[in-house]
Amino acid sequence: MSKLKIGYVPNSPDAGHPADRRRLVYWAKNRGHEVIFDLSQKHDVLVLSGRADLTRWSEIENRSPLILDLVDGYLGKEHLWRDWLRGTGKVITGHNSGTPRPYRKIVSEACQLAQAVVCETVEQRETILPFCMNTHTILDFHEEFPMLPLNREVQTENFPAIMWEGLPFTAKGLLLLKNSFSEIAKSHPISLEMVTDLQYPLFLGTYFYQSTEKILPTIPKILGDNFKLTKWNLEAVVEAAKRSHITVLPLDPSGTLNPLKAENRLLMMWRIGLPTLASPSLAYQRVMRDTKVDGICSDSNEWQMKITELMESVELRQESVDKGQQYIRDTHSKEIVLAAWDRLFESVL
């Protein structure tokens, strides 16, 4: 493939958002392609993130081949009122052109006009195929995190020391564990460290910021001094992993995008050496099944039981990390993901 000039509407103005730096931007840098943010300049291919004005850019005549990069399951099942609210909010605030309409309608119309769509999971792909047959499945690049062995001798006064990492709006899932934490705390000095942004926007990823602590009013009360909120950065994630025994990935059941959430965080946690328990999303269940790791928790009793099992067996923790890291080497190496992006761009040129 010759070197390309790729027009890109990113998720964040500096393209520092994880869905920018772990996806198109990383591939282009490694393959020597140029990413152009000023779309008045000539470009060979146009790529739109989910934060772009999908209607405006997809309807331009005589444009370059268009690729949509959709990292969330926007075409999955959604409450009609919430779909209308998201779509109308996008139009009213100027994030998307056209008349107010459901966001699924906005996304599906853009998919029909695109030459290709790239999403994260096979489950997401099934929802997109009715609108674009040239749909590719590519997870994020995770190379910004080191591949670490399990720390078998965590230096901490707390046991188990549990870590949670992610964007604040996904933290509400931790409320599923409040009863489990309460029960475990009766006999063990359990701790939880959250590594995340300290504030987050309530609406459309831009408006009405509030403190992350307000998401979880009950868990700090349960754990007291054994609850810690750490500002997210790469070094903080790695250091928190080194002082933790287990990581948890609970998903808020009321979050309509959660059933189609990708397995990126699961793979990243295994990558940094942490045995991981997760809610039963489609992707988490698929990967746990493929790796033969018993890490899915469907209710409070199961969370408590499996946290306790991992707490009591370093061999079980080691097995979880070993199987997860082998899965990464077999299915998600840097070379495999680079080649998938190559095939995506070749499909539109």
Side-chain angles (χ1 to χ4, degrees):
M1 186 189 303
S2 59
K3 300 306 178 186
L4 299 173
K5 293 183 181 294
I6 303 167
Y8 184 42
V9 181
N11 290 275
S12 59
D14 62 355
H17 189 282
D20 297 323
R21 70 174 191 269
R22 296 176 187 165
R23 294 184 63 75
L24 171 71
V25 172
Y26 187 94
W27 169 77
K29 181 178 180 180
N30 275 265
R31 291 302 200 222
H33 303 300
E34 182 182 358
V35 179
I36 296 172
F37 302 102
D38 179 0
L39 298 187
S40 65
Q41 297 182 31
K42 183 179 179 181
H43 46 273
D44 303 302
V45 181
L46 174 61
V47 179
L48 303 181
S49 75
R51 297 285 181 90
D53 184 338
L54 299 180
T55 301
R56 174 193 173 194
W57 293 110
S58 63
E59 291 183 349
I60 291 177
E61 296 182 1
N62 301 318
R63 55 163 167 72
S64 303
L66 172 64
I67 297 174
L68 301 186
D69 186 11
L70 303 178
V71 298
D72 285 310
Y74 294 120
L75 294 178
K77 294 180 180 179
E78 176 68 286
H79 296 300
L80 183 60
W81 68 267
R82 188 175 292 174
D83 194 19
W84 267 99
L85 180 62
R86 182 181 288 122
T88 301
K90 288 273 189 180
V91 172
I92 291 175
T93 58
H95 286 73
N96 206 84
S97 303
T99 58
R101 58 205 189 278
Y103 192 57
R104 293 178 80 256
K105 180 72 171 173
I106 293 172
V107 175
S108 62
E109 288 171 347
C111 289
Q112 289 175 309
L113 294 172
Q115 279 61 59
V117 177
V118 56
C119 61
E120 297 258 25
T121 72
V122 292
E123 294 84 9
Q124 291 174 6
R125 182 173 184 268
E126 289 301 312
T127 69
I128 299 169
L129 283 175
F131 308 102
C132 179
M133 290 300 296
N134 188 23
T135 298
H136 299 243
T137 300
I138 310 177
L139 288 172
D140 295 354
F141 291 95
H142 301 150
E143 274 62 30
E144 65 185 24
F145 294 101
M147 188 80 84
L148 299 176
L150 173 75
N151 185 357
R152 296 173 67 94
E153 299 180 359
V154 177
Q155 301 298 315
T156 176
E157 296 178 357
N158 300 97
F159 193 78
I162 296 176
M163 172 183 159
W164 180 91
E165 180 275 344
L167 293 170
F169 66 86
T170 65
K172 191 177 178 182
L174 283 166
L175 296 175
L176 296 174
L177 277 70
K178 63 181 181 179
N179 291 335
S180 304
F181 288 161
S182 294
E183 290 301 312
I184 295 171
K186 291 177 181 178
S187 56
H188 296 278
I190 183 174
S191 67
L192 172 67
E193 180 169 2
M194 291 179 61
V195 187
T196 187
D197 297 332
L198 302 185
Q199 291 188 318
Y200 76 104
L202 291 173
F203 187 58
L204 296 179
T206 304
Y207 303 101
F208 310 120
Y209 277 79
Q210 77 166 15
S211 170
T212 299
E213 287 192 62
K214 291 184 178 180
I215 302 174
L216 305 169
T218 55
I219 290 179
K221 292 179 182 178
I222 294 169
L223 299 179
D225 292 339
N226 291 337
F227 173 82
K228 182 179 182 182
L229 185 60
T230 300
K231 181 176 174 58
W232 196 99
N233 60 64
L234 287 173
E235 183 179 358
V237 173
V238 173
E239 291 305 311
K242 291 177 180 178
R243 54 179 176 261
S244 301
H245 299 102
I246 306 166
T247 190
V248 293
L249 302 176
L251 296 175
D252 176 14
S254 69
T256 52
L257 296 179
N258 284 338
L260 290 174
K261 185 170 287 293
E263 62 264 35
N264 285 303
R265 287 172 65 206
L266 173 57
L267 301 189
M268 288 188 290
M269 294 301 102
W270 277 337
R271 187 178 181 90
I272 58 178
L274 282 173
T276 305
L277 300 174
S279 286
S281 73
L282 295 171
Y284 288 164
Q285 289 185 96
R286 169 172 44 78
V287 175
M288 292 289 192
R289 183 172 59 248
D290 290 347
T291 56
K292 296 181 171 59
V293 173
D294 184 17
I296 294 296
C297 302
S298 299
D299 55 38
S300 182
N301 290 334
E302 207 162 13
W303 280 107
Q304 180 182 344
M305 179 186 71
K306 292 185 178 181
I307 289 172
T308 302
E309 288 175 350
L310 285 174
M311 178 180 70
E312 294 177 347
S313 173
V314 67
E315 288 76 19
L316 198 58
R317 299 199 297 273
Q318 184 72 62
E319 180 183 4
S320 173
V321 172
D322 288 348
K323 288 182 174 179
Q325 292 188 349
Q326 187 59 51
Y327 179 84
I328 292 169
R329 287 187 287 269
D330 291 343
T331 69
H332 195 66
S333 68
K334 175 181 175 180
E335 291 71 25
I336 290 172
V337 184
L338 285 172
W341 279 93
D342 292 343
R343 290 191 294 272
L344 168 65
F345 275 81
E346 288 166 354
S347 76
V348 302
L349 295 174

